[in-house]
Amino acid sequence: MRGNQVRLNSGITMPVIGLGTFSFQNDRETTESAIHMAIKMGYRHFDTAKIYGSEPAVGNALTEAILNGTVKREDIYVTSKLWGSDHHDPVAGLKKTLKNLDMEYVDMYLVHWPVKLKPWSRYAIPSEDEFEKLDLENTWAGMEKCLEMGMCRCIGVSNFSSKKIESLLDYASVTPAVNQVEMHPMWRQAKLREVCGDHKIHVSAYSPLGGPGNSWGSTAVVDNPVIQSIALERKATPAQVALKWGLSKGVSVIVKSFNEDRLKENIGALELKLDDEDCLQIDKLEERKIMRGEFLVNQTTSPYKSIQELWDDEI
C-alpha cells in the first residue's frame, strides 16, 4: 500500500478509502450531492451495487464531475456488484449496471454474495421461492467474460469465507482481485486476511465502523471504550481510529456517510498515526459479526441451512 492507493493483483491501483452509497431510503439528490462533496474532499473511489438502487445517482454525479472538468474518468475508481438474480448471466447484469451508470466500464465488478436467485428476484431480502441452486463455477466464468469484454478492469467477490475463496480458486482462470467483507475492530477477519493474502487477494472492508446508521448496523465500535480512549489520546475521533486500524492492516475501507462533517472526518483517518500498542489493544477486543446474513438462510431452498454454513463456521 502506498499513500492512499493499493496495487491489486491485476496490476491496477485502487484508492484505499471508498465512499459507500447504500442507503435505506435511496434518495437520488442526497446521494448525488454527497458524491460532489466527496470529490471536492479528495474521495476517488465510489462503491455501488445493483441492489442498492444508487447506480443512476452515482453515474449521474460522476458524469457531471467529469464533464465539468473536476475529475477525469481515469482518476475515479467505480465498484459495482452482481446481484444473485444475475448469476445466470453476469454479462447481461453488468450491461444493465453500465446502462444505469451511463459508463463504458466499471473499475471493479464483484459477486455480491455467494447466492444465486431467480432472474425475476427484485428485492434485497429474497423470499423462499427465489433461491436457485448455486453454480459459482458458471457465475465466475461469466465474470471472467465481463473482464475479457472490457466491461470492467477487475473482478472480485464479496462476502466469501476462506473456504469459498479456496474452492473458487480450484476452477478460476482469473484470481479475484478483491474480497469485500465486513471488517472492523470488533470483527477483524484475521483468518480470512491470511488466506486472501496467501493468494494476493486484497481484502476490502465494508462497515469499517460497524455500520452505525444502518438498520442492521451497530454503534458498538465507535462507542467502545478502548477505541474512545485511543481517540482521546491521539486527538482524533473514534471513527478515525477504527478506519486507521483497518488501513494499518493493509485493507481498504468502504465507508458510508452522506454528511459533510463525517465525510471530512472519515477521509481525515489517512493522516492519523496509530502505534503498535494502539493496534495491540484493538486486537484484543471481543469479536462479533454484525451483518450475519440470516436473510439468505432457510431450511428448504437456500444452499445454506444455517449461518454457520453461509460463513463456513467463520462466525
Side-chain angles (χ1 to χ4, degrees), residues 45-258:
H45 180 179
F46 299 90
D47 179 279
T48 181
K50 174 188 173 171
I51 202 68
Y52 297 171
S54 62
E55 288 173 336
V58 171
N60 206 32
L62 293 178
T63 300
E64 214 171 283
I66 290 162
L67 289 176
N68 70 24
T70 313
V71 282
K72 294 193 177 83
R73 172 62 185 96
E74 56 270 27
D75 296 333
I76 281 179
Y77 196 95
V78 180
T79 294
S80 194
K81 309 180 193 83
L82 175 87
W83 189 240
S85 54
D86 291 314
H87 271 222
H88 64 292
D89 191 352
V91 169
L94 182 48
K95 278 184 177 157
K96 275 183 279 195
T97 279
L98 293 175
K99 193 166 185 266
N100 284 341
L101 288 163
D102 196 16
M103 288 184 168
E104 287 174 15
Y105 66 92
V106 291
D107 298 275
M108 174 69 72
Y109 197 42
L110 304 176
V111 176
H112 205 150
W113 286 90
V115 172
K116 184 179 184 181
L117 301 171
K118 298 263 179 8
W120 44 265
S121 174
R122 291 245 152 331
Y123 300 106
I125 297 182
S127 59
E128 218 162 311
D129 62 348
E130 291 178 16
F131 288 84
E132 288 212 335
K133 193 174 182 304
L134 197 58
D135 182 3
L136 280 173
E137 191 163 345
N138 261 329
T139 297
W140 192 250
M143 295 292 284
E144 292 175 338
K145 188 99 171 100
C146 291
L147 188 63
E148 216 174 282
M149 291 169 72
M151 295 157 67
C152 54
R153 295 171 73 215
C154 307
I155 52 175
V157 294
S158 180
N159 298 302
F160 271 51
S161 65
S162 304
K163 191 175 168 187
K164 287 182 178 62
I165 288 283
E166 301 276 16
S167 68
L168 175 68
L169 294 172
D170 287 343
Y171 50 76
S173 310
V174 177
T175 299
V178 160
N179 185 13
Q180 189 186 113
V181 293
E182 177 185 339
M183 180 179 152
H184 45 74
M186 297 176 79
W187 190 252
R188 295 184 287 279
Q189 296 283 19
K191 179 187 174 186
L192 185 68
R193 280 187 283 122
E194 192 179 326
V195 168
C196 287
D198 289 345
H199 298 290
K200 311 254 183 303
I201 297 167
H202 174 76
V203 173
S204 194
Y206 72 72
S207 299
L209 305 174
N214 279 344
S215 52
W216 52 267
S218 152
T219 58
V221 174
V222 286
D223 289 346
N224 185 280
V226 171
I227 303 282
Q228 293 202 335
S229 81
I230 295 170
L232 208 57
E233 205 176 312
R234 299 276 164 239
K235 298 187 173 45
T237 65
Q240 289 173 331
V241 170
L243 293 174
K244 186 62 187 198
W245 170 83
L247 294 168
S248 75
K249 297 289 181 191
V251 310
S252 52
V253 292
I254 306 299
V255 63
K256 201 234 103 197
S257 177
F258 293 169

